[in-house]
């Protein structure tokens, strides 16, 4: 059994305004996109707060490096240098991530050095690394900007002699307007479930209609998500 005593969570995120420069989940609505990104950031912080793990928020202003790989590696490095045995990274773009996700990663650390959760787009919603794995890892060799991120991480882990495992759950990633439409369809048709779906339902329906799931489901099946409203009331 390996010695993994001190575990920290890395929240590697952009602030809402930086996120807006790279994504538009709601078409033609900058202010609503900002509200949505603020909500997603707040949500992932609250998710980690529900656990007993120490966490570090490293946003755009604290990320150092010329490339994504350099910035991501430096974020991990700064936490390992603080004396942790393992670090679990989370982003803000997979709303299905919950406290159980973190517990599952920690459980897998008993027998694995690299633990990854995969999104429907081939990205990673969580990456857990032990100190040993980090010391061997070449972040620059991972295909971060492709749909083969998880496969690339697995290949690198095997090459460097680290044990690898992928979590069972595949979660929906929010990177484009179409991704958000798909997520809302899955939510309304009960293909996915959230502990609190109020904010997301507010994007497509008035609050007093939340209890009318049958009608919302019928509308989404017949017409899709044709209007995304956005709501400032939850930020």
């Amino acid at each position: 059994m390996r010695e993994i005593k001190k575990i920290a969570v890395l929240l590697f995120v952009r602030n809402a305004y930086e996120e807006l420069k790279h994504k538009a989940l709601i078409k033609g609505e900058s202010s609503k996109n900002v509200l949505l990104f603020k909500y997603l950031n707040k949500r992932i912080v609250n998710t980690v707060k529900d656990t007993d793990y120490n966490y570090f928020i490293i946003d755009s202003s604290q990320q150092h490096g010329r490339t994504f790989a350099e910035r991501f590696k430096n974020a991990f490095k700064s936490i390992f240098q603080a004396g942790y045995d393992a670090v679990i990274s989370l982003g803000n773009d997979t709303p299905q991530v919950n406290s159980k996700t973190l517990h599952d990663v920690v459980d897998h650390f008993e027998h694995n050095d690299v633990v990854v959760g995969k999104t429907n787009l081939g990205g990673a919603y969580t990456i857990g690394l032990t100190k040993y794995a980090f010391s061997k890892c070449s972040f620059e060799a991972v295909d971060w900007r492709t749909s083969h991120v998880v496969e690339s991480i697995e290949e690198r882990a095997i090459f460097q002699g680290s044990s690898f495992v992928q979590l069972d759950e595949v979660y929906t990633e929010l990177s484009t307007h179409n991704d958000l439409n798909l997520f809302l369809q899955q939510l309304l048709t009960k293909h996915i479930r959230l502990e609190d779906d109020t904010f997301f339902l507010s994007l497509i329906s008035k609050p007093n209609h939340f209890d009318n799931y049958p009608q919302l489901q019928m509308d989404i099946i017949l017409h899709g998500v044709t209007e995304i409203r956005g709501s400032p009331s939850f930020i």
Side-chain angles (χ1 to χ4, degrees):
M1 185 181 297
R2 61 194 63 215
E3 285 285 319
I4 305 292
K5 294 182 178 180
K6 292 187 65 178
I7 299 172
V9 179
L10 162 62
L11 298 179
F12 191 78
V13 298
R14 299 186 185 106
N15 65 51
Y17 296 97
E18 282 294 317
E19 197 79 284
L20 183 62
K21 297 177 182 178
H22 300 271
K23 295 182 182 180
L25 299 184
I26 302 173
K27 289 183 177 179
E29 295 284 354
S30 295
S31 60
K32 291 178 181 177
N33 275 293
V34 169
L35 292 172
L36 175 55
F37 296 140
K38 285 183 176 179
Y39 171 80
L40 290 172
N41 281 344
K42 181 178 180 180
R43 183 199 165 279
I44 197 63
V45 171
N46 287 340
T47 296
V48 181
K49 282 183 177 179
D50 286 340
T51 72
D52 295 327
Y53 302 112
N54 292 336
Y55 65 93
F56 298 81
I57 302 172
I58 300 183
D59 66 14
S60 315
S61 64
Q62 300 167 301
Q63 296 170 10
H64 304 291
R66 293 179 296 103
T67 65
F68 174 84
E70 287 183 2
R71 293 190 292 273
F72 201 28
K73 179 178 181 179
N74 288 334
F76 269 95
K77 182 179 180 180
S78 66
I79 300 176
F80 278 118
Q81 288 178 335
Y84 289 90
D85 301 313
V87 176
I88 304 169
S89 71
L90 295 175
N92 65 355
D93 56 358
T94 46
Q96 291 159 276
V97 168
N98 52 50
S99 57
K100 181 180 179 298
T101 303
L102 290 173
H103 296 313
D104 287 345
V105 174
V106 172
D107 288 344
H108 279 298
F109 278 147
E110 184 173 353
H111 299 290
N112 298 277
D113 293 299
V114 181
V115 186
V116 177
K118 187 175 183 178
T119 75
N120 63 316
L121 301 180
Y125 60 81
T126 185
I127 300 174
L129 299 176
T130 63
K131 199 167 190 175
Y132 170 80
F134 178 77
S135 71
K136 301 288 185 179
C137 185
S138 173
F139 278 64
E140 293 77 9
V142 175
D143 299 326
W144 296 108
R145 299 300 184 184
T146 73
S147 60
H148 304 290
V149 173
V150 174
E151 288 82 0
S152 181
I153 293 173
E154 182 177 11
E155 289 175 5
R156 296 307 305 174
I158 293 172
F159 177 79
Q160 72 189 26
S162 297
S163 49
F164 171 93
V165 67
Q166 180 182 319
L167 299 180
D168 293 333
E169 296 80 5
V170 176
Y171 288 156
T172 300
E173 178 181 337
L174 303 183
S175 294
T176 68
H177 177 75
N178 288 338
D179 296 335
L180 180 58
N181 272 332
L182 172 64
F183 178 78
L184 293 173
Q185 290 179 38
Q186 292 173 324
L187 189 62
L188 286 171
T189 55
K190 300 294 187 179
H191 284 85
I192 61 174
R193 296 178 184 274
L194 299 179
E195 292 179 3
D196 182 3
D197 57 12
T198 307
F199 176 85
F200 290 103
L201 291 181
S202 76
L203 296 178
I204 56 174
S205 180
K206 295 179 181 179
N208 59 351
H209 291 163
F210 290 166
D211 58 341
N212 192 6
Y213 263 98
Q215 184 59 51
L216 283 172
Q217 290 175 329
M218 183 60 68
D219 289 345
I220 205 70
I221 291 170
L222 293 177
H223 308 295
V225 180
T226 57
E227 179 182 4
I228 299 179
R229 300 173 181 273
S231 172
S233 59
F234 294 90
I235 306 299

